[in-house]
Each structure stands twice: as structure tokens, then as C-alpha cells.
Amino acid sequence: MSGFRHSTAGRVDRNKPVRFSFDGKTYQGFAGDTLASALLANGVHLVGRSFKYHRPRGIVTAGSDEPNALVGIGADEAHYAPNMRATQVEIYDGLVAESQNRWPSLGFDVGAVNETFAPFLSAGFYYKTFMWPPKAWAKLYEPLIRRAAGLGRAPTQADADRYTQVYAHCDVLVVGSGPAGLAAALAAATTGGKVFVCDEQSEMGGSLLAETTATIDGLSARDWVARALADLAARPNVTLMPRTTAFGWYPHNFLGLCERITDHMAKADPKLPRERLWQIRAKEVVLATGALERPLVFPDNDRPGVMMAEAARIYANRFGVKPGDKAVIFTACDSAYRAALDLMAAGVAIATIADLRAAPCGPWIDRVRSAGIAIRAGTVVTGTTGRLRIDSVSLATVGIDGNPGSSENIACDLLLMSGGFTPSVHLFSQSRGKLVYDEALQAYLPGISVERERSAGACRGIYDLDKVLSNGAASGTGAAKAAGFAAADTITFSTTADSVGTDGFIGVTPFGGPSSKARAWIDFQNDVTAKDVRLAIREGFRSIEHVKRYTTTGMATDQGKTSNMNALGLVSETLKVPVPQVGLTTFRPPYTPTTFGIFAGQSRGDMFDPLRKTPIHDWAAEQGAAFEDISLWKRAHYFPKRGEDIHAAVARECKATRGAVGIFDASTLGKIEVVGKDAAEFMNRMYTNAWTKLEPGRLRYGVMLREDGFVMDDGVVGRMATDRFHITTTTGGAPRVLSMMEDYLQTEWPGLDVWLTSTTEEWAVIAVQGPLARKVLEPLVEGIDLSREAMPHMSVREGRICGVPTRLFRVSFTGELGFEVNVPAGYGRAVWEAIFAAGQPHGMTPYGTETMHVLRAEKGFIIVGQETDGTVTPDDAGLGWAIGKAKKDFVGKRSLARPAMTASDRKQLVGLLTVDSKTVLEEGAQIVADPAQPIPMTMIGHVTSSYWSATLDRSIALALVRGGRARVGTRLSVPMPSGPITVEVVEPIFYDAKGARLDA
Amino acid sequence: MLLITCPHCGPRAELEFAYAGEAHIARPTDPMALDDESWARFLYHRANPKGLHAERWRHLHGCAQFFNVVRDTVSDSIVTTYPAGQPRPALPGDDKGATR
Amino acid sequence: MPDLIQRQGALDRFAAAPRNIPAAALSVLPDSARLSFRGRPSAIDAAGAAFGVALPRDACRFAVKRGRTAFWLGPDEWLLQSEGEDPATLFADMSGKLAGQSCSLVDVSHRSQAFALSGPQAAYVLNHGCPLDLSLATFPVGMCTRTIYAKATIMLSRPASDIFHIDAWRSFAPYVWQLLDEARSELA
């Protein structure tokens, strides 16, 4: 024994010393240590400050239920992770850890002044204090709360680590590798099914790793674990997953597992992810998640040096660490007696065992008594002392009245407590299984399953080793069978182990009656005391869900793993109602705090979403285009020349297109090929327009409604043959248009002989627009006569351009003579470059989506999603002409006949001209009739599009205005923070109203 | 994540599917013959049962077919799936009187 | 008139120098003519005869014959692929043979980009974005299906136990390729 480390005991590797730092001081531990065990081996108990009162806190548990020992880990900000449980952090050479929630240091913390104000920080403090006056919220309360709130600190740099996500399937997933889990895994593995076994700890074996006396099949528990793991590892159908937490259960046996891969490595291979999210679909699940030891609730039970008895046993047996020199034990169950013997063997003096029970008896009690340890039955802890570490305990015997008598003070540096065990039913509850309260065990146990799972061992309240193993094996066999794999034979085990029984205690131990001023902690992490819970009840809270939210008990990052049952017990006792009537708070994922990293996975930066680029994208990028996001697409927004801002570039692009010729990448337009003998009939039903008489080789602008009568999409449609249409849709609308068409076709009109194929990405689309467009294209085209006579506006021809096949549309979204050249996508860039080269003598200018928007707005062409918002009818948008009046039916037609759809005061599309021509309205701005009216004003419309028109040398806007068409010629007002802007309502067309240019 | 059995492709993860609303609501053959009330009912009125619910899903990232699913809205368990156009089969649990 | 316009692939930039990771190798597949065939049951045999490969009637299966592959994609949808053939020729030929049939034939040769992921860890890498059970028992050689990889739709097929073919629409192909390339980093 040197210091607090045993010379031989435990599973740490003494040949591999490890140096790490905690709060700037360097310590040594061994490979196999957790940060908690290594700190304890160095005599460090004080590891953090509590959340609310900044009380000094120490290590309480040895597992993922740790409420106190939360630390920040990471040598630099890019690798910093807050709120890591020291009990789960494996140490390595160079590990840098720091305590949290203290300033300037752990030993002297200014925030501990909250302790002085503790009487004012009672349950519901926020709700009661920060109420009035309202103005204090923004400047006083919120900053104050924000500064005090939050646990740990967020790193200041982006996470430098990799995280991956992977899907996997198995027949049986076993969660937990303690005795029940290993037995289940062995039983399931022999059937040949695909078995996954995960455990949150670095070593598999669970409670058996700290077991020193029990034997299984003639082997020590640890040797049996080693043999079982070797057996499993040798089987190709078994995957062992240590350091892997099953944190969430999602519908249909889909579980989220977080595998920690590099956190324990001093020098991690940079190719490895830090963590891997396993998304596992398991045919059957065996939950072998064990049980968590419950603290006892007594005054000042939160000092450093107060620890769970079983945790102390784990530190002694598994890590060879002596958590103190002289211990007092406070218990309500037999397992603490087992711990006492193990700790005594590890060199800890056991001053006394205070047992809450009046007459404890059984083999463990006998063994302790014969070891010479004093046992005080019917005794409670009434208080503790010690500033940064416990130095004494007051004990008192509980009298017949149920209250403790006079106290006796006993010096110690360690106080171990055990209130019995709480089955870990978190995942079962997440799977929506019904929990049933077991009065005898004072525990909620798994009841009826909803998903395909079974709980085995301690997590279903079975604690004796022989029963745990046989229950585990039966669960493994049963799960494999349910997954379709028959078991060869039953696995049995022979064990020697004394039962530690099932005694325990929930609630608050008697220490001076409900009016006692003593503070006995129920929730260590959120600093909730028995007094807080009692106050909540006095104030009328009854349901545990309300008590929880009012006091915040169970709401910290540990989700009340150590506190929930004691809170329930206290509420039950205070209200004098049975525990089940108090209710149970819902267990939700994640079981333990989980990094954002694994939820993001590889979806970071440019990989966050598919970043769709057209075949012409790279050309635009090389030209220095600015891009904008349109749905998932990157589209060239404008092509700035040196020194140009967006306004200058757009003005130049507009003038060039109207004056000569522009070239525009329209490849993102959605495209659908509609083929079959009933194609025209299908088009008639889907669109408002009539299609029957459209001749092959002609185009038509089509409007599509939803069944509720509102505009859903629009686009130009070409009839390629009697039985073949080439539809274009908006860029963002392509998937939903195709989906809606498929829906009608598959489910309403399956008799139509027509089929749909998306061709969005088959074609690159190059728009050539402007008075010189024909001149540019003519020399490049084979087999198509581009002349006005042979190919009028709104026609389509097939032929070749630059030697490759094309569908050439004569169409204009600019109001100029225009063509849209469709070529197979793989030729898109080459054809674009050929056209661009041919256009240079004619002053051809590339333009982006902003210029496209301005040019179309000058012509009053709407953009679905800009002029429409899902509440706009064709008539509202000025598209009444596109409705085939003679058609008996089309999608949305009946809705257009509803009274509200034909009301005269509907918002209608109009043009707006600001009286001051230089003022450009803001899109989205509201429109009123009279700006002098009192606030709130009656809003009669809004601006949908607004631009500076270089062509017209003035601003233009489109707007939806109530009864707008009747207001043409009148003046309205657009109130803005700087004052109202007066506008004149005009027809929504600003340029070449007769359309002579596009017919050129 | 739900595991949905496509009638054509077999069991697949929910990610491959798109939800498409309540099943067995046929579009009237002659919408113009309906009065406003009936049309509004067709457009907007949907069951919201606690219990078995017949609903449409589309195997969007699969065979692209629409089909029907009977799902228990309490447990999220899927009782059966069947191709579009087939009537909803009678199921155990129907008699429990799903509430609308 | 420019002379010969070269077809550009969606993955040219990545395909030039892929990382050599034999456990999960990425490689671009050659250009093909691809036609989307959809139609009534009555037209399926005719389509198979016209294509030279009987269209598989079993769900999620593909059939190969002399460089031509017919992929089942849905109960009324097949993808017909012919490696190295001129799409226009194939389209014209099949259209002629299917005249009068209740079906649709659409040239989608340029719509997608095909590439292969091969090696002993190919399935593991694919499972980083694809939720399917890729064990040979549930996804045998000869199976094909549309599915997803992360946020993109892909067509996935398995011509050999350690080889998967992935077909993604052009603008999604770099996303899928790059994610797979990132996922296989740990095998480098």
C-alpha cells in the first residue's frame, strides 16, 4: 500500500503508469484507471462545486450515474468536452481535466456566496423572484439567470474530431455485460444468431469485475468473465462492443448506441472517429442494464468523502484504491456489509455500521460482526462536518416515536451510504413498456412490453447471482428463439454466492421531523433538498411531474438516476399516498449525456446537405460568379466584374440582355417526361390549362393547383409527340410536383395509360435571351430552322446543337426573343462554352438569378413561392386566362368555386410604382390605405417582389393587395420605420406590354 | 425509426418512405356535383383516432409506390400493410372502437 | 462548329485520383446508355425481347446479359442499362420495337452517375449512410433497389458479394461519393 493505492489488488496495470493533470496539478495513475479512481488514489475527493449553491462536492459513484464529479476534458478548445463524468473518463498520458462551476479555484469559490443566500434560493425561486417589473427581464433578470445557469462551459472552437454514424442489424442485441448480459449473450450466441453485446464501461463484466468472493462454475467471478468473453469473442456471429452506451430506444427496436473510440487514447489514430453512432435495428433486445445504488437522504449528505458503499467497494476491488482511511457506513441493506468486508480487506478501518433497519440479520451481518465491526441497528446519520472533506459523522438511534435521539459524533474521512438498489428501467421505459411498482422491492419494474424486448437480471429486480445468471440465459435463449434461432440446449450455471437480499429504503431518513432546517440532499446535481420538495408539496404540487419541474429535482444531466426514487418516496410519505399514485416521471433519451458530434456525424460543413451543382456550375465559379442557395441547388446569383457590387452587376446584366443577348443557366428547372397514350388526358386533369389541342412541337405555360385550389407550381410544357410531354417545373417544386402527379396517377386514376419519369438531371438547360439570341444560335444548330416563321414563340424542336442532341425551346422568361437549349447534362458545359464563344462577337453576357428576377418582374411574370404563398388562386395572381374554362374537372377546380375563393376583396396581384422613383420598397413590406390611421393599422396587402429596374431607370414592385385590380390608379402607402412611402397602384407589367419583343 | 413493410420490397427503414395522410379517402368522381360542405369534408376532414389508423405511405426512395398501412397510433406498431387500391382488411382490435 | 464534344461525368474531379483503400475501393463506372422503362404488364415481355434481357419480375432483382442490365425498380418500372452504347441508337431501336405497347420509354442516360464501392469492408462503409441490412442473406448478389445514402436517393445493386454499384443523380453523386470517401477514412 502506498498512499491510497493497494500494492496488488484491482485490475489496473501497475506496469503502465499514466500522468495526467487535474486543475493544473499533475498526478499519476495507472492504465485501467478512471479519472475518479486515479484522483481517489491520490487522495483527491473534492472534484467540483454544486450547481446552485456552489457547495464543495466529491465523487459519489463509480459509474455513469455520477451526479457530482463532472469535469471538463481536453488540452485545447478544439478537443474540449464539458460535463464528462470523472467516473467514466479513462485516463491516459497527458489527459488534461478541470473542475467546473467554480471561480477562481475549486478550494476557494466566489460563487459559494450563494450558500449564504440559500434561504432565498428555495424551490421555485425563479418563478417567485423574477416576476415583476416586466422591464427588469431584459436588462436584469435574464442576464443574471443566464450567467448563473448552465453546467460546464461550451468550448470556444469548432470540434476538431471526426464522428461517424453507422447502421447495423442483428438478431439479438444485449445491452449490458454484467452477469445477466453475459449469460444472455452466451445463450443467444450458441443458437447461431447474430448477437451484439454492448456495455458502457471500458471493461465488460459489470458487477462481476468488483466481485471477490463469489464463484461461477468453479471459477472466480473475474475468471469466469474472462472465459465468457473469450468464448464470445471467438464466435464469428458475436460482436462485443465495450465503451458503448445504448442511450436511446426508438420505435420498432431501433436503438442508438454511442461507441467512444478514441477518448481513452493518448495518441489517437487521426483516421479514427472520436465516437461512432451505432443505429441498430435488433430483431430482439435483451436489456441487462443492472441496477443503481440509491443514496440515503440525511443532513449534509453531500460533503466530499460521502460515497455510495458499492462504489467504494468497486474502487477497492476493481481499481485497488482505498477511498479513505476510516469509514462510517450508513445503510438500509445487506450489500453495504459486503462492501464493509471488502474495504476492511483493502485496509480501510470501518468505524461502525449504522443500519436504518431495527434488526438486521443474515450471513453478511454475521460475517461483519465476526470481523469485529460494530453494528448499530436502528441508527441514522443526523449530520456531518468538514469543509472540503468530511471529518465527522453524528449518529443517533431512532426512538419509538420514529425520531432520532441524542447524537454521538464519530470522526472519519469517509461516509459510505446505501439505500438499496434501483433497477435501471430507463431503456425499457423509453421503449414505451409499462412500468409496474413492486411494493416489496420499493422499485418500478418492467411490466408489459410494447417492443420486442425482455429485461434480465437486476434491471428487473432479480439480484441473487444464480437467479441473475439463469434469468439471463433464459432471456438470451428466448430472444434468439423469437428471432428465429432455436437453442441447442439450455445453459446452466453453478454458483457460490451469498444473497445480499433486497432490502432498501426510499425517501428521507428520519433526522428531526419535517420542520427541520437541516439540508438533506435528494438531487446532488441540481442542488435539491428534502426541504425544497416538502415546500413544493406545501405549496400545492401533487404530481411528481409538477414537483420535478418546480424544484428541478431529477432535471439535471443525470436525469435523476440517483434521486428520482428518493424524491418519489418523500412525496409519497408527505402526501400519505402510495408511491404509484404520485406518478413517475418519463424516461427519455439519452440515457447519459451524449455529444452533439455523433448526432451531426459526417453532416458537417459542405457535407451538411447535398450541395447540388449544375453541369455549368464550375464555369460560373471560374468566372467569379456569386452563388445563392435555391432549395439544395447552388445557382449563379450574378456575375460581378472587378469592382462591381450586386447592383452594378445586375444593372449591367439586365441592360446587356435587353440590348443584345444574355446567357443563363436554367438547368435546375424541374423536368418531368409524361409518356403514354393518355398523356394529354392526364395533363388536362393535372393542370388548369387545356392540352388536347396543343400540337406536337408547341409549348404552353401551365399552372398547377393543389386540390384546395391554390397555385402549387407553374412551368412551360412542351408537347414532343401526341403521347409525350416535356414538363418543366420550378426549381424547388420538382419533387413535390412529381410526387403529387404520381399520387393521382397511382391512387386515383390507375386506369390511365401514362407514366412519369423525372428528367430534371438528364438535361442541362441553357437560356439564350435577347434580341440577338437567334443570331448566336443559328450557326451552332443542325436540323432546326430558327427563323420567326419556322419556329415561332412558344415552340419546341428536336435536332442537334454543337453536334449533340437537343430539345430547343423557343421561350422567354425575360420578355425578349429567347431560346432555352436543352442538351444531355454531360454535354452541358461544353455546349454552354461553345454558345458563349459564339456569342462574344454579339456582346453576349452571362447573367444570374437576380437579373432573371428583375427581367421577369419588369414583364410581370410571377414566381411561384414569391408572388404566391400557398393561399393564392390563379385569379389572384392574374392567371385566370390559364384556366381551361371548358374542362369539366382538373385538380383544384371544385375548390375555385368555393365562396371564399371568388370574393372580390381577395388579395390580387398588382404593380406598385413608388412616387419617388428612386425608392426601392422592401419585399414583404405591408401596405395600408391611409398611413395616418391609428396603430394597429389595417393592412391590405404586401410587397412580393421589388427591384431597381435599370431598363426603366426607376424602382418597380409587385404586390398582393386586397381588391387590388380595382385600386389601379389609386395611391396607397407602405409604412416603414423611416416613414410611410407613397406608391401608385398600376397594372403588373412595366415593360413591353404588347409583347412585341418576344415575338421578334 | 419505424420499420415499414412495403408490399413490394419488404421491410425497410422509415427513412425510405414519405407519409401521405389518411387512407381510403377517394377523390369524388365528379367534384363539381358536390356542394361546398361535402367538398370541404373531402378536402379537410380527417380521422384522428387513438388506436388503429389506416394511412398512406409512399416508398419514395424505393419502388416509389403508394400503399396503405394500418398503424396503431398509441404504440406506433404497424399491424398490416397492403397495396393501394385494396380495401382495408378487418383486423383484431377494430372492435375496440377507435375514437375519432 | 466545334468538333467533338466530350461527355463530362459528375465525378470526373474525384475519379481522377481516388485514395487507394483496398478494404473499400471507390471507382467510377463507365458511361452507359440508360432508359427508364415503365409500362403495363402486357408490355414487359416485349420490352425484354426488345432489350435482349428479360426484365426480372421478382422485386429488387437485376438481370445481366452481354453488357446489358435490366434493373427492377418498381412493379411497373425498370432501368435498362447498356454499357458503352449510344443512347440515341438504343432509344430509337427500342422505341420502334415497342410501338403500340402500353408503356413509356425515356432516355435518362445523363441523369445519373454510376460508381462502384468494392472490397471486404464495402458493406460496412455503405452502412454509414444506407439503412439497409446489407448481409448477404437479406441483400444477396443480384439484388438492386432504390434506397437512400444519407440525404440522397441512390440506386444500389450488388453484382458480387464484395462489390456494390451505386447510381446517383448527377448533382447528388459528389455528395454520396465524398461521404463514402470520408466514411472509409478509418480503413485507410
Side-chain angles (χ1 to χ4, degrees):
Chain A
M1 178 74 62
S2 80
F4 295 92
R5 181 81 75 174
H6 196 277
S7 49
T8 55
R11 303 172 64 81
V12 293
D13 187 347
R14 288 175 176 75
N15 295 318
K16 288 187 188 155
V18 170
R19 294 176 71 79
F20 66 97
S21 83
F22 177 65
D23 279 349
K25 193 175 168 194
T26 303
Y27 297 94
Q28 188 191 296
F30 293 118
D33 261 327
T34 63
L35 179 59
S37 69
L39 285 171
L40 290 172
N42 284 280
V44 178
H45 276 252
L46 172 66
V47 290
R49 290 273 179 172
S50 72
F51 180 53
K52 194 159 136 191
Y53 302 120
H54 290 245
R55 302 251 303 179
R57 289 282 168 82
I59 296 157
V60 178
T61 73
S64 63
D65 50 340
E66 175 60 35
N68 283 351
L70 302 185
V71 293
I73 300 286
D76 60 69
E77 287 296 311
H79 296 89
Y80 184 84
N83 295 329
M84 304 285 279
R85 289 154 304 282
T87 47
Q88 282 192 299
V89 173
E90 295 173 61
I91 60 165
Y92 53 82
D93 251 330
L95 173 86
V96 178
E98 65 177 26
S99 58
Q100 300 184 155
N101 217 31
R102 83 303 189 257
W103 184 85
S105 74
L106 194 51
F108 176 75
D109 172 27
V110 170
V113 71
N114 281 4
E115 182 77 341
T116 317
F117 299 119
F120 307 105
L121 294 173
S122 61
F125 166 70
Y126 285 172
Y127 307 114
K128 291 167 182 165
T129 310
F130 301 121
M131 290 182 67
W132 191 89
K135 278 190 174 153
W137 263 104
K139 287 216 162 79
L140 183 62
Y141 297 155
E142 190 176 324
L144 191 74
I145 292 170
R146 284 201 186 281
R147 198 159 52 235
L151 204 53
R153 62 175 186 85
T156 56
Q157 283 181 25
D159 193 333
D161 284 309
R162 272 186 81 215
Y163 297 83
T164 60
Q165 302 174 330
V166 64
Y167 295 98
H169 296 75
C170 66
D171 296 307
V172 178
L173 170 65
V174 180
V175 180
S177 66
L182 286 179
L186 288 167
T190 55
T191 66
K194 188 175 173 187
V195 178
F196 285 177
V197 190
C198 72
D199 194 293
E200 62 177 351
Q201 299 202 38
S202 59
E203 272 194 290
M204 301 192 115
S207 62
L208 297 177
L209 295 173
E211 182 55 58
T212 52
T213 54
T215 68
I216 307 170
D217 293 344
L219 298 173
S220 74
R222 292 173 187 182
D223 287 346
W224 182 84
V225 167
R227 192 182 72 176
L229 289 173
D231 177 326
L232 291 169
R235 294 175 185 269
N237 60 325
V238 177
T239 306
L240 297 176
M241 309 166 90
R243 297 189 179 92
T244 304
T245 305
F247 63 81
W249 188 303
Y250 306 94
H252 297 187
N253 274 37
F254 191 72
L255 283 88
L257 278 58
C258 173
E259 181 183 9
R260 294 174 295 280
I261 297 166
T262 63
D263 267 5
H264 63 290
M265 298 177 179
K267 279 203 178 66
D269 184 340
K271 291 180 308 204
L272 289 178
R274 178 186 171 214
E275 292 178 339
R276 184 182 287 131
L277 172 68
W278 288 96
Q279 301 165 97
I280 296 183
R281 181 84 67 181
K283 285 207 181 96
E284 297 289 329
V285 176
V286 177
L287 294 176
T289 49
L292 298 172
E293 197 173 18
R294 265 192 317 278
L296 287 169
V297 180
F298 54 86
D300 296 329
N301 58 341
D302 67 329
R303 292 193 200 283
V306 181
M307 187 182 281
M308 308 298 312
E310 191 63 20
R313 176 170 174 257
I314 289 168
Y315 285 119
N317 292 351
R318 188 167 156 193
F319 298 98
V321 169
K322 202 171 74 163
D325 285 322
K326 187 178 176 191
V328 171
I329 296 178
F330 184 22
T331 185
C333 60
D334 288 2
S335 68
Y337 288 77
R338 182 175 63 183
L341 291 169
D342 285 357
L343 285 162
M344 195 167 89
V348 180
I350 310 295
T352 185
I353 296 181
D355 198 319
L356 193 59
R357 298 171 293 182
C361 61
W364 287 105
I365 285 83
D366 296 342
R367 226 169 280 166
V368 162
R369 195 168 282 131
S370 49
I373 299 173
I375 300 172
R376 301 175 186 219
T379 302
V380 294
V381 174
T382 55
T384 68
T385 61
R387 196 174 80 85
L388 300 179
R389 171 89 183 258
I390 191 167
D391 56 26
S392 85
V393 171
S394 334
L395 298 177
T397 309
V398 179
I400 301 163
D401 60 351
N403 290 324
S406 57
S407 290
E408 179 188 348
N409 212 266
I410 296 179
C412 65
D413 64 352
L414 189 63
L415 172 57
L416 304 181
M417 56 185 168
S418 180
F421 290 84
T422 302
S424 288
V425 294
H426 305 71
L427 285 176
F428 174 81
S429 177
Q430 284 183 30
S431 80
R432 305 195 202 181
K434 277 265 176 278
L435 291 167
V436 179
Y437 189 68
D438 185 305
E439 204 65 55
L441 290 178
Q442 300 185 87
Y444 277 100
L445 300 182
I448 298 164
S449 297
V450 169
E451 298 267 6
R452 296 181 59 152
E453 54 65 52
R454 57 207 75 207
S455 296
C459 71
R460 66 173 310 116
I462 298 171
Y463 297 121
D464 292 345
L465 186 58
D466 55 340
K467 296 194 183 81
V468 166
L469 288 167
S470 58
N471 180 234
S475 300
T477 306
K481 193 175 170 197
F485 294 85
D489 43 24
T490 345
I491 300 184
T492 55
F493 306 92
S494 67
T495 61
T496 59
D498 280 320
S499 169
V500 290
T502 58
D503 283 351
F505 180 83
I506 62 168
V508 177
T509 62
F511 58 79
S515 59
S516 167
K517 293 249 186 293
R519 284 190 294 166
W521 263 263
I522 286 180
D523 187 314
F524 295 120
Q525 201 169 99
N526 260 356
D527 263 351
V528 180
T529 66
K531 207 171 61 166
D532 295 327
V533 174
R534 285 186 175 124
L535 177 64
I537 295 166
R538 277 205 304 282
E539 293 182 2
F541 294 91
R542 291 294 177 271
S543 159
I544 192 66
E545 293 282 6
H546 296 149
V547 172
K548 166 180 166 174
R549 278 157 186 84
Y550 193 58
T551 63
T552 75
T553 187
M555 287 178 67
T557 67
D558 66 351
Q559 292 280 292
K561 286 188 181 64
T562 53
S563 63
N564 283 344
M565 285 312 294
N566 283 332
L568 272 185
L570 174 57
V571 175
S572 157
E573 183 203 339
T574 311
L575 289 175
K576 311 258 186 290
V577 296
V579 169
Q581 277 184 34
V582 180
L584 182 64
T585 57
T586 310
F587 295 94
R588 293 193 176 86
Y591 174 65
T592 49
T594 304
T595 60
F596 286 117
I598 59 159
F599 293 117
Q602 299 169 287
S603 300
R604 299 171 66 172
D606 279 354
M607 293 286 98
F608 178 70
D609 262 340
L611 207 153
R612 304 180 72 182
K613 294 175 179 172
T614 74
I616 296 148
H617 177 96
D618 288 352
W619 183 91
E622 288 158 20
Q623 302 294 312
F627 290 88
E628 67 169 340
D629 294 336
I630 307 286
S631 64
L632 292 175
W633 288 99
K634 286 278 174 202
R635 298 196 72 180
H637 193 194
Y638 56 98
F639 289 82
K641 293 196 164 175
R642 186 179 296 275
E644 277 185 339
D645 63 5
I646 180 171
H647 304 294
V650 170
R652 175 180 50 73
E653 292 170 15
C654 285
K655 282 180 174 163
T657 304
R658 292 236 184 272
V661 61
I663 184 168
F664 173 71
D665 180 4
S667 302
T668 63
L669 282 179
K671 300 161 210 86
I672 299 164
E673 195 111 327
V674 178
V675 184
K677 73 172 168 50
D678 295 325
E681 172 59 20
F682 177 70
M683 294 295 293
N684 280 337
R685 297 186 191 185
M686 289 309 305
Y687 283 83
T688 62
N689 319 64
W691 299 93
T692 314
K693 288 182 183 159
L694 185 71
E695 290 169 21
R698 297 302 305 238
L699 304 176
R700 179 163 289 165
Y701 169 75
V703 177
M704 174 185 278
L705 310 182
R706 300 190 309 229
E707 196 69 274
D708 63 9
F710 297 120
V711 174
M712 165 159 165
D713 207 85
D714 68 349
V716 169
V717 177
R719 189 162 197 176
M720 308 310 299
T722 49
D723 62 350
R724 185 176 293 259
F725 289 84
H726 175 128
I727 289 176
T728 68
T729 74
T730 59
T731 293
R736 63 174 170 269
V737 168
L738 181 59
S739 216
M740 184 167 107
M741 287 181 164
E742 279 285 350
D743 194 349
Y744 279 97
L745 200 47
Q746 288 183 29
T747 66
E748 299 292 350
W749 312 316
L752 289 184
D753 258 4
V754 58
W755 293 270
L756 312 171
T757 305
S758 172
T759 50
T760 299
E761 298 229 34
E762 171 67 13
W763 302 103
V765 184
I766 303 162
V768 180
Q769 302 277 314
L772 303 181
R774 186 182 288 120
K775 274 206 177 70
V776 173
L777 289 177
E778 256 169 349
L780 304 176
V781 171
E782 284 172 81
I784 305 174
D785 182 351
L786 295 184
S787 68
R788 183 173 186 269
E789 299 68 32
M791 193 174 176
H793 181 53
M794 295 304 268
S795 58
V796 55
R797 299 287 180 268
E798 289 185 271
R800 300 180 87 78
I801 186 166
C802 306
V804 304
T806 183
R807 283 181 181 174
L808 188 55
F809 284 40
R810 173 147 180 217
V811 66
S812 173
F813 199 43
T814 57
E816 302 298 329
L817 166 67
F819 297 89
E820 287 184 0
V821 181
N822 289 263
V823 290
Y827 305 126
R829 175 165 178 174
V831 172
W832 171 284
E833 288 189 79
I835 295 173
F836 189 67
Q840 287 315 292
H842 304 287
M844 177 176 262
T845 298
Y847 65 92
T849 49
E850 188 65 20
T851 291
M852 177 267 280
H853 277 224
V854 176
L855 296 176
R856 66 89 203 177
E858 288 170 350
K859 287 291 295 177
F861 298 148
I862 67 154
I863 287 183
V864 169
Q866 185 149 345
E867 270 64 56
T868 71
D869 60 3
T871 66
V872 174
T873 67
D875 185 64
D876 297 342
L879 300 173
W881 58 268
I883 294 176
K885 303 282 189 304
K887 290 204 294 180
K888 193 168 176 295
D889 189 17
F890 56 82
V891 172
K893 178 177 169 77
R894 174 63 185 86
S895 291
L896 293 178
R898 301 182 74 211
M901 305 293 265
T902 50
S904 59
D905 67 340
R906 290 190 62 81
K907 283 190 179 180
Q908 294 164 336
L909 185 74
V910 292
L912 296 182
L913 289 175
T914 49
V915 170
D916 169 13
S917 67
K918 303 294 176 201
T919 302
V920 181
L921 295 170
E922 268 191 40
E923 289 179 355
Q926 294 294 320
I927 300 164
V928 302
D930 171 17
Q933 65 186 292
I935 291 170
M937 298 189 192
T938 303
M939 295 175 282
I940 59 169
H942 65 278
V943 179
T944 58
S945 292
S946 173
Y947 307 97
W948 175 256
S949 165
T951 309
L952 304 169
D953 193 32
R954 63 153 300 128
S955 77
I956 57 167
L958 297 172
L960 287 167
V961 176
R962 286 206 179 283
R965 285 199 283 272
R967 295 182 195 261
V968 168
T970 68
R971 288 190 170 192
L972 297 173
S973 187
V974 178
M976 296 299 289
S978 54
I981 300 166
T982 308
V983 296
E984 188 180 344
V985 183
V986 297
E987 294 290 341
I989 182 162
F990 304 96
Y991 184 71
D992 186 28
K994 291 208 169 67
R997 300 182 67 88
L998 52 77
D999 264 336
Chain B
M1 179 164 59
L2 303 182
L3 186 67
I4 301 170
T5 300
C6 167
H8 307 284
C9 306
R12 295 290 180 94
E14 184 183 345
L15 290 173
E16 290 186 359
F17 298 85
Y19 185 69
E22 188 177 350
H24 306 299
I25 296 176
R27 186 175 190 268
T29 46
D30 183 5
M32 297 309 284
L34 268 61
D35 62 19
D36 286 337
E37 170 63 25
S38 311
W39 182 248
R41 190 167 294 281
F42 160 72
L43 270 187
Y44 300 118
H45 289 215
R46 295 294 180 268
N48 183 21
K50 182 181 182 183
L52 299 186
H53 183 235
E55 57 200 24
R56 301 176 337 125
W57 287 76
R58 184 182 181 207
H59 196 189
L60 180 62
H61 309 285
C63 65
Q65 298 298 298
F66 284 84
F67 62 97
N68 299 319
V69 169
V70 177
R71 182 176 58 97
D72 188 327
T73 59
V74 178
S75 66
D76 247 353
S77 63
I78 290 173
V79 183
T80 187
T81 62
Y82 49 101
Q86 287 188 7
R88 180 189 184 285
L91 292 163
D94 280 348
D95 51 340
K96 281 185 196 156
T99 48
R100 283 199 164 206
Chain C
M1 181 73 52
D3 292 336
L4 205 59
I5 281 189
Q6 290 292 313
R7 179 171 170 174
Q8 286 186 327
L11 293 172
D12 290 356
R13 179 189 309 182
F14 307 102
R19 292 191 292 169
N20 179 29
I21 303 176
L26 281 169
S27 59
V28 170
L29 291 169
D31 290 339
S32 293
R34 291 193 199 89
L35 305 183
S36 170
F37 169 83
R38 303 191 68 176
R40 296 280 173 211
S42 60
I44 296 170
D45 287 340
F51 187 52
V53 182
L55 309 193
R57 300 296 185 109
D58 288 341
C60 303
R61 289 296 181 275
F62 65 88
V64 196
K65 213 171 177 180
R66 290 191 294 273
R68 288 189 170 188
T69 312
F71 297 92
W72 185 100
L73 288 182
D76 68 350
E77 181 183 2
W78 285 259
L79 185 75
L80 310 179
Q81 178 177 296
S82 179
E83 195 179 310
E85 191 168 349
D86 175 32
T89 313
L90 179 65
F91 183 81
D93 177 51
M94 295 234 2
S95 295
K97 289 174 177 165
L98 289 172
Q101 296 281 355
S102 286
C103 65
S104 145
L105 202 61
V106 177
D107 182 356
V108 292
S109 302
H110 286 246
R111 186 174 69 171
S112 58
Q113 174 73 51
F115 58 101
L117 177 66
S118 51
Q121 295 293 324
Y124 168 72
V125 170
L126 254 179
N127 270 141
H128 279 69
C130 175
L132 293 175
D133 181 353
L134 297 175
S135 63
L136 280 164
T138 51
F139 201 102
V141 172
M143 180 164 169
C144 65
T145 182
R146 254 190 307 248
T147 179
I148 54 161
Y149 190 90
K151 297 174 187 170
T153 310
I154 59 170
M155 185 185 89
L156 183 67
S157 58
R158 189 174 214 168
S161 61
D162 275 3
I163 302 175
F164 290 91
H165 284 180
I166 294 152
D167 196 280
W169 284 7
R170 287 185 69 98
S171 69
F172 290 96
Y175 168 80
V176 177
W177 173 287
Q178 285 175 279
L179 278 180
L180 286 167
D181 193 33
E182 208 281 338
R184 70 192 181 125
S185 295
E186 66 185 74
L187 306 170

